[in-house]
Amino acid sequence: MNYEVIVVGGGPVGMWLAAELALARVSVCVIERLEEPSDQSRALTLHPRTLEMFDMRGLKERFMKLGRPIRTGHFSMLNTRLDFSVLDSSSNYTLFIPQVITEKVIEEHALKLGVVVHRGMEVVSVREQEQGVEVVSVCTSGPQANVSVMTAAYVVGADGAGSIVRKQAGIAFPGTDTTLTAILADVELANPPESGVHSEYSERGGVMIAPVYPDVYRVILTTPRMMDIPKDVPVTLEEVQTGLYDLLGTDLDVSNPRWLSRFGNATRQAQTYRKGRILLAGDAAHIHFPAGGQGMNVGLQEAANLGWKLAGVIRGWAPDTLLNSYHDERYPVNTQFLRNTEVQTRLLDFTPAVLAHRQLHEEWFRQPEINRSMAEQISALDVCYPAAGNVPQHPLNGKRFADFELWLPDGMTSYAYDLLHEGRFVLLHLAQDTKVSNELRHISLSHISYVEAVADELPVGWRDVHTVLIRPDGYIAWAISVKQTDISNVIKDGIVTLI
């Protein structure tokens, strides 16, 4: 075989998955249709859980230097903002950063880890065989369509809404078609809003304006008339000018469009995220109205979930059935996510009834508990996976692992996320139980790092934790209480059955 895994699609999701696999010493390549990375930034926001994920790999500071932290977010363009600053996270903010920059950082990280990237190649066939998958692609440039045939043990489609991988695998993509559209325009504004950022919504329509680069602003427009225009109708500068004038009484001297696009609210989800040796991630697995800037973030978090599982199966320490848990864990999370975007879309209308509903939501979000709950949902900090049934029950099982400061045996301090830089499981022993720690020190497994530490201040819910096993994607596989009897054997059994 040419590779152990072939990832089709070199956007942020595909490239992050490839990086996660390479971190685990998996032979992986990315096949990407575009000869050069796109200069268009569909996404502009990294959410708290995504920033935590990058922190676990030692990359967060690289993104922070290139982006701008924002403490609030929006829900369906409501005036009452979601407050991320109250969230229990070391990344209690969103990071405003163009997708072009995000992709550049991720690709540099992937290449450094040894990921092979084949650009200018379009996949035309994906065929599963008994021992692997055959991928046929053709060169997208040059006078001749050179054909390339590669094989791998597994193929992951991260190739967008029109995924050739999903279609070739025969995976259904049920859902709903577009019923409304909105406009995205990256343009120059000679007379931008004073603050540079502006948002308003009324019976005439809705508009959001934010600077993307020093001389480029992103304008999102939706009006009663625009909403009915089919998605494939090209956007014109005149349409943007008219929309701005109708809503603001000025077109802000808009000019020099860098990118004009019309997007819709089609909502679909793949019937399964896995079919044999073929898996899906990102837009290949689900599409939605881009409400709240969640799409790319969700895809990146999927890649983190899938990466260590594929690596475990390929490296031989996990059975093939572990890959089924990728669908089992992510499908329900993404179903809730799609419902969230559909609710936001329902609020993007201009009838008196919908405007009244928007006012009601404004009032609800002024309640701290409701505001925080929605901020946790948008940021993906509320994601919790089903706890394994073969380990002792504990309230932390399946929950997100939050960062905190640790004291190590050598007297040095470390943040917990630093322990995950290598992308391995971390068996974290906190109880200073000499008998157990002497036994655990002799554990020698390539996919598990054993760490002894203590903390001056533990997160909520950690007071009784003796030992905890943290997954490579930053979720708690299981935690064991100091009250548990026969702790040594329980931990050993938990390691054996962690998958």
Side-chain angles (χ1 to χ4, degrees):
M1 289 187 181
N2 299 94
Y3 299 95
E4 291 171 313
V5 178
I6 293 174
V7 179
V8 180
V13 176
M15 205 65 75
W16 184 250
L17 173 61
E20 288 289 275
L21 290 166
L23 189 62
R25 305 294 188 268
V26 171
S27 170
V28 56
C29 83
V30 174
I31 301 178
E32 168 55 44
R33 179 178 57 82
L34 297 178
E35 295 180 44
E36 299 291 338
S38 173
D39 60 358
Q40 297 172 346
S41 293
R42 293 184 179 277
L44 296 175
T45 304
L46 293 177
H47 282 300
R49 185 54 182 169
T50 305
L51 292 171
E52 288 184 345
M53 181 184 74
F54 289 145
D55 203 2
M56 293 173 202
R57 298 297 182 261
L59 294 175
K60 179 182 169 181
E61 287 308 311
R62 211 176 301 180
F63 288 97
M64 295 301 295
K65 290 177 181 178
L66 299 169
R68 176 165 56 91
I70 299 176
R71 295 289 180 177
T72 64
H74 80 91
F75 185 91
S76 196
M77 298 175 68
L78 295 175
N79 290 326
T80 306
R81 305 277 291 179
L82 300 179
D83 184 4
F84 291 110
S85 69
V86 301
L87 298 178
D88 179 22
S89 170
S90 54
S91 301
N92 56 347
Y93 42 80
T94 63
L95 188 70
F96 189 90
I97 180 171
Q99 182 175 328
V100 168
I101 298 176
T102 296
E103 290 189 17
K104 184 174 186 294
V105 174
I106 293 176
E107 183 166 1
E108 288 173 352
H109 171 64
L111 292 174
K112 186 176 180 180
L113 290 170
V115 173
V116 177
V117 180
H118 300 285
R119 286 195 172 274
M121 300 297 293
E122 183 170 6
V123 172
V124 294
S125 173
V126 180
R127 188 161 59 95
E128 183 173 0
Q129 303 169 331
E130 186 175 346
Q131 298 298 322
V133 185
E134 178 190 80
V135 177
V136 180
S137 56
V138 297
C139 182
T140 59
S141 63
Q144 293 183 329
N146 295 326
V147 177
S148 172
V149 180
M150 289 186 282
T151 58
Y154 294 90
V155 167
V156 181
D159 50 340
S163 172
I164 184 68
V165 176
R166 186 188 67 240
K167 293 173 182 176
Q168 292 274 300
I171 298 174
F173 201 40
T176 59
D177 293 326
T178 294
T179 60
L180 63 87
T181 62
I183 283 176
L184 177 155
D186 284 351
V187 293
E188 292 184 12
L189 299 177
N191 293 298
E194 285 189 15
S195 64
V197 178
H198 184 77
S199 175
E200 70 174 67
Y201 200 97
S202 70
E203 69 279 358
R204 298 191 308 277
V207 59
M208 292 182 64
I209 302 171
V212 181
Y213 300 108
D215 59 341
V216 177
Y217 288 78
R218 166 133 325 155
V219 176
I220 302 293
L221 274 170
T222 177
T223 69
R225 182 187 60 80
M226 289 178 179
M227 291 174 71
D228 295 328
I229 299 176
K231 182 175 178 292
D232 57 356
V233 174
V235 179
T236 65
L237 178 60
E238 291 73 23
E239 188 176 5
V240 177
Q241 291 171 324
T242 300
L244 286 172
Y245 189 86
D246 288 346
L247 294 174
L248 305 177
T250 172
D251 67 3
L252 303 176
D253 289 333
V254 58
S255 64
N256 197 12
R258 310 296 175 84
W259 183 31
L260 300 175
S261 176
R262 201 181 309 273
F263 56 94
N265 66 327
T267 302
R268 297 184 176 276
Q269 182 166 210
Q271 198 166 57
T272 179
Y273 287 9
R274 181 200 183 187
K275 188 174 182 181
R277 294 179 174 273
I278 298 173
L279 301 105
L280 303 174
D283 288 352
H286 43 74
I287 59 172
H288 57 92
F289 192 79
Q294 300 171 83
M296 181 183 69
N297 291 272
V298 168
L300 289 168
Q301 291 152 27
E302 284 166 14
N305 183 290
L306 177 58
W308 67 269
K309 294 174 180 178
L310 259 177
V313 172
I314 290 169
R315 293 278 75 86
W317 58 259
D320 179 78
T321 52
L322 177 62
L323 293 178
N324 295 335
S325 72
Y326 170 58
H327 172 89
D328 294 343
E329 290 185 345
R330 291 305 307 182
Y331 189 90
V333 169
N334 291 336
T335 298
Q336 182 185 30
F337 153 61
L338 294 179
R339 299 296 84 79
N340 174 291
T341 59
E342 285 180 323
V343 168
Q344 293 195 58
T345 306
R346 293 291 180 89
L347 291 172
L348 293 178
D349 205 340
F350 309 100
T351 65
V354 171
L355 292 173
H357 273 292
R358 291 180 63 85
Q359 185 175 1
L360 187 60
H361 276 76
E362 300 256 6
E363 295 171 2
W364 286 343
F365 286 164
R366 292 190 189 104
Q367 302 300 315
E369 298 83 2
I370 296 176
N371 193 297
R372 177 169 182 151
S373 176
M374 186 53 65
E376 288 176 343
Q377 186 178 136
I378 294 289
S379 64
L381 295 187
D382 70 339
V383 171
C384 181
Y385 297 130
N390 50 6
V391 295
Q393 295 302 300
H394 192 281
L396 291 178
N397 290 2
K399 290 188 176 180
R400 154 187 158 265
F401 178 51
D403 199 15
F404 59 98
E405 193 171 17
L406 297 166
W407 287 94
L408 302 176
D410 61 4
M412 300 294 289
T413 61
S414 171
Y415 280 95
Y417 281 179
D418 295 343
L419 306 178
L420 289 159
H421 284 187
E422 295 180 2
R424 293 150 52 105
F425 279 86
V426 173
L427 185 64
L428 179 59
H429 177 64
L430 297 170
Q432 296 183 286
D433 184 331
T434 303
K435 176 179 178 297
V436 173
S437 62
N438 286 337
E439 296 179 3
L440 295 180
R441 287 192 192 108
H442 294 95
I443 293 174
S444 179
L445 294 170
S446 62
H447 57 288
I448 298 178
S449 299
Y450 172 64
V451 178
E452 295 175 19
V454 295
D456 292 334
E457 186 175 351
L458 288 165
V460 174
W462 282 71
R463 294 296 174 188
D464 73 331
V465 172
H466 181 284
T467 302
V468 60
L469 184 67
I470 304 151
R471 297 176 4 169
D473 58 349
Y475 288 86
I476 297 169
W478 48 254
I480 293 176
S481 169
V482 293
K483 300 174 184 177
Q484 176 72 43
T485 58
D486 196 19
I487 287 180
S488 293
N489 288 330
V490 170
I491 292 175
K492 291 174 185 176
D493 289 345
I495 292 172
V496 171
T497 60
L498 64 89
I499 53 175

